[in-house]
Amino acid sequence: MRLAIETGQHDTVGIDLVAMCVNDLVVQGAEPLFFLDYYATGCLSLETAQAVIAGIAEGCRIAGCALIGGETAEMPGMYCDGDYDLAGFAVGAVERDSLLDGDKAQAGDVILGLASSGLHANGLSLARRVIEVTGTALDATCPFAPGRRLADMVLEPTRIYTRSCLAAVAGGGVHGLAHITGGGLIENPPRAFPDSLTARIDMSAWILPPVFLWLRATGDIEASELARTFNCGIGMMAFVAPESVETVTACLEKAGETVYRLGQLEPRNDGQPAMILENLESWSE
């Protein structure tokens, strides 16, 4: 939101708000039903509010849920001129026997990665710091995407995975899903499998997208810190039974996802971490 306010680009943060809620719902196998928002500001700007709410409505359309209401609060003295704050929540439903609760994943399950659209509203504090320290102008031409502003690339809306993931879950063979948000590739995946397992991921299985390459090089960020802070091009992971990998992959690709085969789950030995990232050093080259 800080970047949106600074650039006057308010039409995408609403999509991010919805995405962060519904993507967290779908990892439980739940279909989002409805969404409510909260918009707070010092003095209401109708033009800004309309752009924000339009983004929220678009996010709900993509997710397939209803925007049934919300709250708008004017609180002079709480916010500086032009500033606003956003919050929201979604309610979803899933049959009890279809719930993905983190216990269904098994050793031998294949890990599939679904491509992200960009930063996905996570790690923005570090991204903003890199931009600030380097003196890069947000409205300048993006150094890694000619023809686009840097602000456009950093504020690229979060991809919403609900329809594709629900279709894959309905087809069978999906034992778990992990939404890659704050904590990156290190902290998020273990939520989707038991403590008795370790995820071994080949980091060379996909190419680090340009925005992350630029942040790594410009900010001199270590590869391990990059993996702990950002999604690094993988916005969602699926843990799939080996015999269902081809079917699930085809289902996801039909729904418009770009799918990578990242690795597999294996029994965890004493002292072994939950995540083993192989070939991470290739990102430092």
Side-chain angles (χ1 to χ4, degrees), residues 1-7 13 83 119 121-138 150-151 153-155 211-212 214-216 218-219 221 226 229-230:
M1 287 188 295
R2 188 73 260 157
L3 289 170
I5 291 167
E6 290 175 1
T7 60
V13 288
D83 283 0
L119 296 181
N122 284 115
L124 268 298
S125 295
L126 179 54
R128 287 176 58 225
R129 182 61 176 165
V130 171
I131 292 169
E132 176 187 344
V133 169
T134 59
T136 308
L138 287 168
L150 178 59
M153 299 301 295
V154 176
L155 289 170
V211 64
F212 301 105
W214 181 79
L215 286 169
R216 180 192 60 74
T218 306
I221 303 172
L226 202 73
T229 305
F230 300 105

Side-chain angles (χ1 to χ4, degrees), residues 47-123:
E47 183 179 359
T48 298
Q50 287 173 346
V52 172
I53 300 303
I56 293 173
E58 175 63 9
C60 288
R61 184 195 67 78
I62 297 170
C65 66
L67 176 59
I68 64 172
E71 169 72 9
T72 301
E74 282 189 289
M75 293 182 286
M78 283 293 293
Y79 299 95
C80 297
D81 290 345
D83 283 0
Y84 60 88
D85 195 13
L86 284 178
F89 74 93
V91 173
V94 57
E95 295 291 342
R96 191 177 301 275
D97 58 359
S98 299
L99 183 68
L100 298 177
D101 56 7
D103 292 332
K104 296 181 179 179
Q106 306 170 17
D109 280 357
V110 174
I111 305 171
L112 299 180
L114 280 60
S116 67
S117 57
L119 296 181
H120 281 196
N122 284 115

Side-chain angles (χ1 to χ4, degrees), residues 156-227:
E156 185 73 30
T158 302
R159 186 165 182 82
I160 294 175
Y161 298 97
T162 52
R163 295 180 187 269
S164 57
C165 285
L166 287 173
V169 170
V174 177
H175 292 161
L177 293 167
H179 183 201
I180 311 303
T181 54
L185 299 171
I186 306 293
E187 297 179 10
N188 290 287
R191 299 173 182 171
F193 56 82
D195 293 340
S196 59
L197 299 177
T198 285
R200 187 178 296 273
I201 294 178
D202 180 5
M203 306 299 276
S204 65
W206 76 100
I207 298 175
L208 197 64
V211 64
F212 301 105
L213 286 170
W214 181 79
L215 286 169
R216 180 192 60 74
T218 306
D220 194 23
I221 303 172
E222 293 184 0
S224 58
E225 181 64 18
L226 202 73

